[in-house]
Amino acid sequence: MIASHLTALEEALRRFQAQTPRLESWGRRLATVLEDGGRLLACGNGGSAEQAQHLTAELVGRYQTERRPFAAIPLHTDISALTAIGNDYGHEEMFARQVRAHGRPGDVLICLSTSGSSKNIIAAAKAAAEVGVRAWALTGPGPNPLAGVCAEAITVEAPSTATVQEVHLAAIHMLCAAIDAVVCGTRDGAVMCGTGDGAMARGTGDGAVVRGTADGAMGRGTGDVTVARGAGDGARRVMDLDREAEETV
């Protein structure tokens, strides 16, 4: 039994390799959303709920590399809201109503479902489209209804729910690694990420990015233009070769 379980997982992971380019693309785009102040919402039922929470915990905390925390919300953890919505509006609205409450245009919702047919997850994806949130599905075998209503989907071809969930966990870790690669590293630059009283710097070939996480300051140098943002006084200064301008944001 154990040997057959491992064989099934090995085969599923081998098939999943074809999905890695899309997973890397998700990581790059999600990194941009999070760095720009957007948020990730995540939802699932049962084991998929746990994995949704695993993903958000890695982003609010850290995966492997020290960096600033990102805004990520698992939609199943607010028990009072969840039970109130379920009682007043029905089980199918448990996540959808929260998407409408917390989602902002440009945010991302990741929907996890091993079957791809959970009605409350499908409703959440539809609600995301209504409020300008991009919905991505991580499901079992496709095609399935959830993948059909999301902007993009990554499917796991495996017959067992347990195997699908195990591949989903690997996918979550790969997604976090892809995000960290964007936030804290480049191919040709130096990397230093820190928090608290430290700073985060990224070398970019023709310039560098430096972010201070203690006082909220951010500076970027690109050779011919420098951008600095001070979160403390709410001002942003943009300087180039020919002019200097300041505006309050």
Side-chain angles (χ1 to χ4, degrees), residues 183-242:
V183 173
C184 297
T186 61
R187 292 179 180 177
D188 59 350
V191 179
M192 181 181 70
C193 290
T195 58
D197 294 331
M200 177 167 66
R202 179 167 67 217
T204 59
D206 60 351
V209 177
V210 179
R211 292 179 177 84
T213 58
D215 59 3
M218 179 172 70
R220 174 174 301 173
T222 59
D224 60 354
V225 63
T226 299
V227 178
R229 292 179 189 153
D233 60 6
R236 180 173 69 181
R237 179 169 299 176
V238 180
M239 297 168 287
D240 59 24
L241 292 177
D242 302 315

Side-chain angles (χ1 to χ4, degrees), residues 15 56 79 124 167:
R15 287 191 292 268
T56 58
I79 300 301
V167 178

Side-chain angles (χ1 to χ4, degrees), residues 14-99:
R14 188 179 299 111
R15 287 191 292 268
F16 188 72
Q17 286 184 328
Q19 301 278 14
T20 55
R22 173 160 288 180
L23 196 60
E24 291 173 349
S25 173
W26 283 12
R28 290 191 297 269
R29 286 180 283 164
L30 187 53
T32 299
V33 169
L34 296 172
E35 284 202 292
D36 286 347
R39 68 185 65 170
L40 170 71
L41 308 178
C43 61
N45 294 303
S48 294
E50 185 278 330
Q51 293 194 334
Q53 188 171 349
H54 186 125
L55 171 59
T56 58
E58 301 280 33
L59 295 175
V60 176
R62 69 177 181 194
Y63 175 57
Q64 290 181 325
T65 307
E66 287 291 348
R67 51 155 172 74
R68 71 180 180 89
F70 291 128
I73 304 172
L75 299 181
H76 64 280
T77 56
D78 187 343
I79 300 301
S80 296
L82 206 65
T83 53
I85 295 168
N87 184 65
D88 295 342
Y89 299 97
H91 179 264
E92 289 187 20
E93 285 294 307
M94 289 169 60
F95 301 129
R97 192 166 179 84
Q98 292 188 76
V99 170

Side-chain angles (χ1 to χ4, degrees), residues 12-13 15-16 19 22-23 26 43-45 47-48 51-52 109-119 121-122 125 135-172 175:
L13 287 169
R15 287 191 292 268
F16 188 72
Q19 301 278 14
R22 173 160 288 180
L23 196 60
W26 283 12
C43 61
N45 294 303
S48 294
Q51 293 194 334
L109 169 70
I110 291 187
C111 303
L112 292 100
S113 173
T114 57
S115 68
S117 60
S118 300
K119 292 182 179 180
I121 307 297
I122 293 171
W136 296 340
L138 189 58
T139 76
N144 58 67
L146 178 59
V149 299
C150 286
E152 297 181 41
I154 292 177
T155 61
V156 175
E157 299 301 320
S160 166
T161 295
T163 303
V164 171
Q165 289 178 333
E166 288 159 358
V167 178
H168 280 182
L169 180 57
I172 286 169
L175 179 61

